[in-house]
Amino acid sequence: MDMIDYPDGEQFSPGHVACAGCAEALSLRVILNTLGADAIAVVPPSCTAVICGGYPLSSVSIPVQHTTLESAAASASGVKRSLNALGKTNTTVVCLAGDGGTYDIGLQALSSAAERNEDILYVCFDNEGYMNTGGQKSSSTPLNAITGSTPAGKLSRKKNLVEILAAHRIPYIATCSPAHLSDMSAKIKKAASIRGTKVIMVIIPCLPGWGVADDAAVKTARMAVDSGVFPLYEVEDGVDYTMTIDTRNQSVNAYLKQQKRYRNLSDKNISDIQADVDKEWEYLLGRARK
Amino acid sequence: MKEKQNLQLLSGNHAVSWGVKLARPHVAPLYPITPQTPILEKLTEFHSQGELDAELLTPESEHSAMSACVAASLTGARVFTATSSQGLLLMHELLHYASGARAPIVMFNVNRTPGSPWAFWPDQIDSLSQRDTGWIKMYSESPQESLDTVIQAFRIAEKLALPLMISHDAFYVSHAVEPVELPQQELVDNFLPAYNPELRLDTSLGQSFGAPIDQATWNRSRREAGEAMARVENEVLETGKAWGELTGRSYAALENYRTEAADTIIVTMGSMCGTVRDAVDALRDQGTAVGLLKVRQFRPLPVQTLRDSLAGIPSVLVLDRNYSPGMGGILHQELKSALFGMRDAPRVHGLLAGVGGVNVSSNKIQQLVAEYADAKPSNDSVWVE
Ligand SMILES: Cc1ncc(C[n+]2csc(CCOP(=O)(O)OP(=O)(O)O)c2C)c(N)n1
Ligand code: SF4
Ligand SMILES: [Mg+2]
């Protein structure tokens, strides 16, 4: 049993407006409490922006700059440089962005911040689609998944953003899951202790977006990890890969069957996805062994 | 008039960089574009030589540069950036964002034709098409004015919590070299109060910026920006006067040149003002009563001052170095609306002169005065051949 072990300093308040059962709200709570009070958040439009709260309320106790969809990394750079110029160098600047704001429209700004190795922590809540606008595809949406803009299932695969970021040779990248909260807290803590650009990718099974039951978000996240669809690992300096969990104990079948976005999969689709996950898993293990 | 000291031969763009250095910004995100690049390169040179103690960022685009500007400003820093044409247009979304957030960023824009087709000539459509983004907009006609205005801009913007964009024309001002008086650092330090915003992103305060709001609150935010805008002209005037007391060079929102007892007044912005002065001198020598009304502050448009300045003047020629297809010259349209309903309003001729950077000589302007001063004006702006 993975015990939840993190300091709950009440950085995240109850009463927020996430869907009941949302794993993103749970992850936010862990991340914000791990970072503590000396942090400033930069949030582009996304579920997080809504969860953080509408004026004059806020469900997070640290200051938030709500920025534009494509600007999170650039805005965070601005906050950090400003803090540096004003002598407040210890404050953590954290982006809390969705996959659309990260894989797609914000990738240019993120790549540039990573290239400059800006001292920011970038957290991507990867719910594999544009949920704020009602659930359209992003480049993080996996093959065959039905979304509002891919009614017949997406025809292309999910972008491997970790590899793209690793190619920038930034000091730290890690993947996290809301089914592994102690690990999430530890990785956030580690990232916050490193100078330079750090990126944390969190898989967020979205209740309406993926078509999973209200009480199944955490379970679905666990299945994503256990089947190897979403492996937990770290990449240091862009080249040193470490598997957090280096075994798989189930096929993709049960994971896919959990989700209505995969309702039209044929047996052939499922075996193709399995073959792809197997190949990626071996590839990742190979990188971690080197 | 004080005796000029510390004169240096500077291009308009390098004069801007000197002004920025003297204003001591904390953060400057910069992205290059012709013909703005010398501003950027001079600033990075100052920085590398230890003469500019600022955080310089070189992001991948103007869009990110302006995003960083907004964030840095909201965190409490004095912020500067510079751009031109395509870069300014790429920032468009963030220009609204900056003014909505009341971030007093100072930006310098070098007026250049936007593509397509590609061109690099002086034309003010880039900044004029950002008219409604909520920025204070000023236009400068010379390197000295650009330097002086940059320094004044920080005082005006920070006092009113509004972003401020200054423009000068590509090449005619940006690359033209003239003797520029460099103020002493101490003078500028005394002139510019330190920037210490009460509201800022600060973990000891806990304030947030830009969260989703209801209709009434959005509505109020724009009304409040409008109220701040209403204070701009006075602030520009006071700041320009205070600068004049220190340097001998005063500035206002609108500036008159030989308008006393004029039958015709030419209204324009930017580098065209220099050529108009020359034409006015020549015409006055010939006995024609002509003057120049220079629009230095375009947003907010000083409507009442325009009306007062042009009351009783029979004829006004507006020279627009910009063109809004389907509408005409933007200054022409703005002036007509500013003078609307005025008793004895002047005849207003809108002349599209110099669009795309084509040269408009002093002789040409003299001809235009002869041709249009007594003519019946057309509703539409007229192309000058
Ligand atoms: C420039 C721009 N285009 C489009 C939008 C509309 N928009 C708001 S949120 C969003 C999707 C965000 O998706 P993601 O980043 O994955 O966050 P999620 O909603 O899934 O949490 C879009 C397209 C916008 N705010 N700005
Ligand atoms: S739409 Fe999905 S990610 Fe967004 S709050 Fe609801 S469950 Fe969470
Ligand atoms: Mg998403």
Side-chain angles (χ1 to χ4, degrees), chain A residues 17-25 47-48 51 127 131-132 204-209:
Chain A
V17 294
C19 304
C22 175
E24 185 163 317
C47 286
T48 307
I51 296 169
N127 54 18
M131 300 317 173
N132 190 282
I204 303 291
C206 171
L207 308 174

Side-chain angles (χ1 to χ4, degrees), chain A residues 216-227:
Chain A
V218 172
K219 180 173 145 205
T220 307
R222 185 174 297 283
M223 293 169 101
V225 173
D226 288 349
S227 62

Side-chain angles (χ1 to χ4, degrees), chain A residues 18-35:
Chain A
C19 304
C22 175
E24 185 163 317
L26 176 63
S27 305
L28 254 179
R29 178 171 161 195
V30 171
I31 291 166
L32 293 172
N33 281 313
T34 303
L35 290 175

Side-chain angles (χ1 to χ4, degrees), chain A residues 55 64 66 70-71 75 81-82, chain B residues 63 67 93 97 208-209 212:
Chain A
Y55 174 87
V64 177
H66 291 264
E70 58 296 311
S71 300
S75 298
R81 298 300 199 95
S82 185
Chain B
H63 194 286
S67 302
E93 180 196 24
Y97 213 85
S208 292
F209 286 83

Side-chain angles (χ1 to χ4, degrees), chain A residues 71 96 107 125 127 133 136 138 142 149 155 164 171 173 189 193 215 220 234 242 247 272 276 279:
Chain A
S71 300
L96 304 169
L107 180 57
F125 293 114
N127 54 18
T133 43
Q136 300 79 28
S138 75
S149 53
L155 300 177
I164 294 171
I173 309 164
K189 207 164 164 186
S193 74
D215 60 355
T220 307
E234 297 170 284
T242 309
T247 52
D272 285 351
D276 189 54
K279 206 168 113 198

Side-chain angles (χ1 to χ4, degrees), chain A residues 37-39 53-55 63-68 70-71 74-75 77-79 81-86 88 91 108-109 112 116, chain B residues 26 55-61 63-64 67-68 71-72 75 77 93 97 201-203 207-213 217 220:
Chain A
D38 195 13
Y55 174 87
V64 177
Q65 193 224 342
H66 291 264
T67 189
T68 55
E70 58 296 311
S71 300
S75 298
S77 306
V79 173
R81 298 300 199 95
S82 185
L83 291 171
N84 284 350
L86 301 172
K88 303 174 205 166
T91 302
Q108 178 173 314
S112 179
R116 299 192 307 276
Chain B
H26 299 108
E55 291 277 335
L56 293 193
L57 272 94
T58 50
E60 85 300 338
S61 70
H63 194 286
S64 282
S67 302
T75 312
E93 180 196 24
Y97 213 85
L201 290 163
D202 185 326
T203 51
Q207 290 153 347
S208 292
F209 286 83
I213 56 174
T217 314
R220 197 180 83 213

Side-chain angles (χ1 to χ4, degrees), chain A residues 98-100 125-131:
Chain A
D99 51 289
F125 293 114
D126 187 357
N127 54 18
E128 302 189 329
Y130 298 171
M131 300 317 173

